[in-house]
Amino acid sequence: MEKWVRLIAATFVSFSWLAAPAVGQASYSLRSPDQRIEIRVRTGGSSIQYDVLLKGKPLLQNCSASINIDQTQLGRNLKVKNAGQRSVNQLHQPPIRQKSARIREHYNELRLQGEDGLTTVFRAYNEGVAYRLETSLPRTEVKVYGEEAVFNFAADHTVYYPQEESFFSHNERSYTPRKLSSIPASAIASLPAVVDAAGVKVAIAESDIEDYPGLWLRGTGGSSLAAAFPPYPLKESLSKDRDYRVTQAADYIASTRGARTYPWRILAIAENDGDLITNQLVWLLAKPSQIADPSWIRPGKVAWDWYNANNIYGVDFRAGINTQTYKYYIDFASKHGIDYIILDEGWYRLGNVLDVVPEMNIEEIVAYGKQKNVGIILWVVWKTLADQLQPALDQYEKWGIKGIKVDFMQRDDQVVMRYYHDLAREAAKRKMLVDFHGAQRSVLLSRTWPNLITNEGVKGLEHTKWSRDVEPEHNVTLPFTRMFLGPMDYTPGAMLNATKETFAPIFNRPMALGTRCHQLAMYVVYESPLQMLADSPSNYLREPEAMEFLGPVPTVWDETRVLEAKLGDYVVIARRHGRDWYIGAMTDWTPRELEIGLSFLAEGNFQMQAYQDGLNADRMAGDFQLVKRQLNRNTRLKIRLAPGGGWAARIRP
């Protein structure tokens, strides 16, 4: 269970009151604990309106919020019958240390209770602002016909916008910079959208979704982004075993309780790009852990089969989806201290997650893994699993399966959001991990269900099998965008590395754009408590120097420091696990020389083992040099990055 230490928790009956702009209207002001950020709220108009200011300068102006329940717009002409503020300052100790062993939560809160049954809660953190709507309607069931959330920026800024074709999506997008005014209402996007407001970055996100659809964004043709939501599904149709599409939708977005809280709407504010990487607002605003004793949850690394198409070699058996192949994966994992292997698509006959193909003996594989301290994770299609949920999970528990990788949801309407909670709950009862692929929104539940150990919904390494989209510029954009939401199962670790000129998408023998050290650095830069080794075990076994890093590198962290960062250009991150520090640096196609200090180290001498781009990495992307040296907290390191390059190091006392 989560642990926390309450530092300060005071409730005040007073609130900041500003001059009322008109009869029937009222205004309120709320500041962050460090006084840098201010929210100015106005009620009594066509909706609840608010501005967000940073150091007295407006970032957003005339933003609006309201909700349509049973065809009544709550928040319109709102009369506040009770208002109050409180301050909270506490430390959390998360059961899964994604970024750090402790997370500070420090905010000031304004609560406005309206006469119409709508309460609006605003919070101002030093890291940004958030608000949520609450209703106290006496009806057991209500329908939500829409929620108004308009984020109106003070100017026509650039936004990194993950545009989608429809609500039916894997959410594997590029974060393309474009002007706000260039985005029409028809252009919807998943989250987060990151706005560059004259150097200050503002990330739009959400948290604590339950019994409600996910928030999407749409353009307005101006300097605003507005909320969009997938409607409630009335009829669905299954294509093959995995594409479960909505064929008839309601004119409402949710059917829910009259008395409840709605998800938080988040505006994270970062004056330095790197502050987006350490920002914890999504986690802090999520519902606390629902697992009473999470001590059984074991983060770790995973040997993965699908990306490398089971291309193992130098063996005396036919590689493929068979028992011998997965014993080979287990042997590799055991040799290098890797905690799990995944059995991806092919181990069962599609359409029945209990019908194991004859070439696979699951009991034998699990038993062999247990002998070598390697757990087994099974890939499944979500809809097939949903139809067989209880018998399937019971069988997996009987086999001794440690987790499930659930794929192809491609939706976040209210029905599928319920499924995410239900599956995480049922898996937790059986002490199983969950890795959701095929959608993004479930990542927001990783605090509530810490067994939900990682999540895809990212344009990751697998795209190199069929496209050139996953290139270094994209890779150094993700830490500031998709990773802001939570753990990101990018699946790094390619040992076949290519330059722009030498790359080709080959489905069954994939390679990655960028250098070998670019891939190694991902294990420090990218957060995923369940982190994949995507390439073939045979390729790793012929790279013993690389495995000296990939074997011990942790997947959870006691401390995170961003040393250098510019969205879309480069990133340098230091992370501590116990007494060891790891540093990862990545660049786009621009070669760079960066100098970093090590003042975060404790006193004393340390031994560094660093992997740097070789002198010929701009021609032969797999070229790297292993460097060992002693250093201390006064040392300054010069890092040279090749085009598409990287740098990775382990520093030990």
Side-chain angles (χ1 to χ4, degrees):
M1 181 172 285
E2 291 175 24
K3 299 178 181 178
W4 57 268
V5 178
R6 178 66 59 89
L7 301 178
I8 303 170
T11 302
F12 304 96
V13 295
S14 63
F15 52 85
S16 301
W17 180 279
L18 301 180
V23 175
Q25 295 186 339
S27 299
Y28 310 85
S29 175
L30 183 70
R31 287 184 179 270
S32 59
D34 64 6
Q35 302 295 301
R36 292 166 43 255
I37 299 170
E38 182 185 6
I39 314 171
R40 294 177 180 173
V41 184
R42 296 176 295 282
T43 61
S46 60
S47 62
I48 300 159
Q49 292 196 317
Y50 64 94
D51 310 327
V52 179
L53 296 85
L54 176 65
K55 297 178 179 176
K57 295 182 179 180
L59 284 176
L60 296 97
Q61 295 176 303
N62 299 317
C63 300
S64 56
S66 65
I67 191 166
N68 185 327
I69 294 181
D70 291 343
Q71 303 293 14
T72 298
Q73 197 77 14
L74 302 183
R76 178 177 294 172
N77 301 319
L78 182 70
K79 294 181 180 179
V80 176
K81 67 178 183 179
N82 191 22
Q85 285 193 18
R86 66 171 184 147
S87 296
V88 169
N89 189 358
Q90 60 191 15
L91 286 174
H92 299 271
Q93 296 178 1
I96 305 299
R97 297 166 290 132
Q98 296 171 17
K99 299 180 193 288
S100 59
R102 289 191 168 194
I103 302 173
R104 188 184 190 195
E105 182 172 33
H106 193 191
Y107 63 83
N108 294 325
E109 180 180 280
L110 170 67
R111 186 178 182 88
L112 302 176
Q113 184 180 3
E115 293 181 353
D116 61 358
L118 177 69
T119 295
T120 311
V121 182
F122 287 90
R123 286 186 185 174
Y125 294 78
N126 296 338
E127 301 82 15
V129 303
Y131 77 88
R132 84 182 316 169
L133 306 176
E134 302 178 4
T135 53
S136 54
L137 305 175
R139 300 186 290 280
T140 303
E141 182 178 350
V142 298
K143 288 183 170 57
V144 180
Y145 284 85
E147 180 188 335
E148 177 190 15
V150 178
F151 307 100
N152 189 41
F153 288 84
D156 184 18
H157 297 303
T158 296
V159 57
Y160 291 80
Y161 196 68
Q163 187 168 333
E164 304 264 11
E165 279 74 47
S166 74
F167 289 126
F168 187 77
S169 173
H170 290 276
N171 308 134
E172 298 170 12
R173 316 307 296 178
S174 298
Y175 289 82
T176 306
R178 54 195 296 188
K179 286 292 187 181
L180 285 165
S181 61
S182 73
I183 306 171
S186 59
I188 61 171
S190 47
L191 298 178
V194 177
V195 176
D196 186 346
V200 177
K201 303 301 189 295
V202 180
I204 304 173
E206 67 175 336
S207 191
D208 197 17
I209 314 175
E210 190 168 4
D211 198 31
Y212 203 68
L215 167 69
W216 291 56
L217 299 171
R218 61 174 178 82
T220 63
S223 59
S224 305
L225 294 172
F229 296 92
Y232 188 87
L234 296 176
K235 292 183 180 179
E236 298 151 301
S237 177
L238 182 64
S239 174
K240 297 183 292 186
D241 67 318
R242 59 197 59 184
D243 294 339
Y244 198 47
R245 296 176 181 268
V246 177
T247 56
Q248 183 180 342
D251 59 350
Y252 51 87
I253 63 172
S255 177
T256 188
R257 307 175 307 282
R260 61 161 294 173
T261 60
Y262 289 85
W264 288 100
R265 310 302 175 207
I266 299 172
L267 294 163
I269 299 170
E271 294 185 81
N272 301 300
D273 289 9
D275 292 340
L276 285 174
I277 297 172
T278 54
N279 192 296
Q280 299 267 28
L281 287 184
V282 171
W283 190 93
L284 286 168
L285 289 162
K287 186 177 183 179
S289 173
Q290 299 301 290
I291 299 177
D293 177 12
S295 60
W296 57 270
I297 300 173
R298 190 175 93 179
K301 293 189 294 294
V302 189
W304 183 36
D305 56 347
W306 188 84
Y307 171 80
N308 63 74
N310 281 319
N311 286 330
I312 61 177
Y313 48 88
V315 296
D316 58 0
F317 58 87
R318 183 70 174 171
I321 299 172
N322 56 55
T323 299
Q324 285 179 298
T325 295
Y326 290 102
K327 284 186 173 182
Y328 179 88
Y329 276 86
I330 290 169
D331 288 340
F332 160 72
S334 178
K335 178 179 179 179
H336 292 286
I338 295 165
D339 303 88
Y340 304 97
I341 71 165
I342 276 184
L343 278 56
D344 212 287
E345 183 168 6
W347 72 269
Y348 72 88
R349 289 189 175 94
L350 295 179
N352 183 348
V353 294
L354 290 170
D355 188 3
V356 181
V357 298
E359 297 82 6
M360 297 284 285
N361 186 323
I362 301 297
E363 293 95 329
E364 184 178 344
I365 292 169
V366 172
Y368 191 73
K370 188 174 182 180
Q371 290 175 18
K372 302 211 166 189
N373 200 31
V374 176
I376 309 301
I377 296 173
L378 298 178
W379 174 93
V380 290
V381 171
W382 85 275
K383 175 56 178 166
T384 316
L385 179 65
D387 291 341
Q388 302 175 271
L389 187 61
Q390 297 297 334
L393 292 184
D394 288 346
Q395 181 62 68
Y396 299 168
E397 182 182 25
K398 184 178 178 182
W399 283 339
I401 298 301
K402 299 300 182 183
I404 49 176
K405 174 181 171 182
V406 187
D407 207 348
F408 285 96
M409 292 77 61
Q410 304 174 89
R411 287 166 47 187
D412 55 20
D413 50 59
Q414 184 184 19
V415 170
V416 177
M417 287 305 304
R418 285 175 182 159
Y419 173 80
Y420 293 143
H421 281 275
D422 291 345
L423 179 57
R425 180 184 299 107
E426 290 301 314
K429 290 177 183 177
R430 297 161 176 84
K431 296 187 176 181
M432 288 183 195
L433 304 177
V434 179
D435 172 8
F436 279 117
H437 273 228
Q440 173 199 83
R441 205 70 51 162
S442 44
V443 70
L444 303 175
L445 311 183
S446 61
R447 179 185 182 185
T448 308
W449 301 106
N451 64 317
L452 202 171
I453 195 78
T454 194
N455 203 103
E456 194 197 31
V458 61
K459 183 178 281 189
L461 188 68
E462 67 178 6
H463 280 255
T464 62
K465 291 165 72 76
W466 58 80
S467 81
R468 300 182 66 98
D469 289 352
V470 179
E471 60 176 357
E473 184 177 359
H474 171 75
N475 295 337
V476 294
T477 299
L478 290 176
F480 309 88
T481 52
R482 163 60 184 84
M483 201 171 81
F484 176 77
L485 298 180
M488 184 176 77
D489 197 12
Y490 176 98
T491 67
M495 293 291 104
L496 301 179
N497 312 103
T499 65
K500 281 184 181 180
E501 294 75 22
T502 60
F503 176 81
I506 303 173
F507 191 86
N508 285 321
R509 196 172 186 270
M511 64 188 77
L513 282 155
T515 70
R516 169 70 53 79
C517 293
H518 190 82
Q519 289 288 314
L520 296 180
M522 291 177 180
Y523 288 85
V524 183
V525 174
Y526 291 168
E527 293 166 8
S528 180
L530 193 71
Q531 189 69 277
M532 305 291 159
L533 274 73
D535 217 322
S536 165
S538 300
N539 287 345
Y540 290 124
L541 289 169
R542 74 177 187 184
E543 300 281 356
E545 288 185 333
M547 289 310 300
E548 288 179 21
F549 181 82
L550 293 178
V553 65
T555 65
V556 289
W557 306 99
D558 296 316
E559 188 177 350
T560 294
R561 305 276 187 107
V562 180
L563 307 182
E564 296 280 348
K566 187 176 180 182
L567 194 162
D569 289 345
Y570 58 88
V571 61
V572 186
I573 297 179
R575 300 190 195 263
R576 180 176 62 83
H577 182 92
R579 300 178 66 197
D580 291 0
W581 282 91
Y582 288 79
I583 301 177
M586 299 166 63
T587 184
D588 58 7
W589 286 123
T590 303
R592 302 182 192 277
E593 289 190 4
L594 302 172
E595 185 173 313
I596 60 171
L598 302 176
S599 60
F600 52 83
L601 294 177
E603 294 290 345
N605 292 321
F606 289 78
Q607 179 70 33
M608 180 183 76
Q609 181 165 315
Y611 297 76
Q612 61 188 35
D613 292 325
L615 292 175
N616 296 299
D618 60 333
R619 299 169 51 192
M620 180 66 179
D623 184 29
F624 71 92
Q625 184 180 6
L626 181 59
V627 177
K628 298 180 181 181
R629 61 171 289 190
Q630 279 198 340
L631 42 73
N632 58 47
R633 67 192 317 270
N634 298 314
T635 304
R636 295 195 65 82
L637 291 174
K638 291 185 177 180
I639 297 174
R640 188 187 66 83
L641 303 174
W647 189 90
R650 182 185 186 186
I651 301 175
R652 291 181 283 178

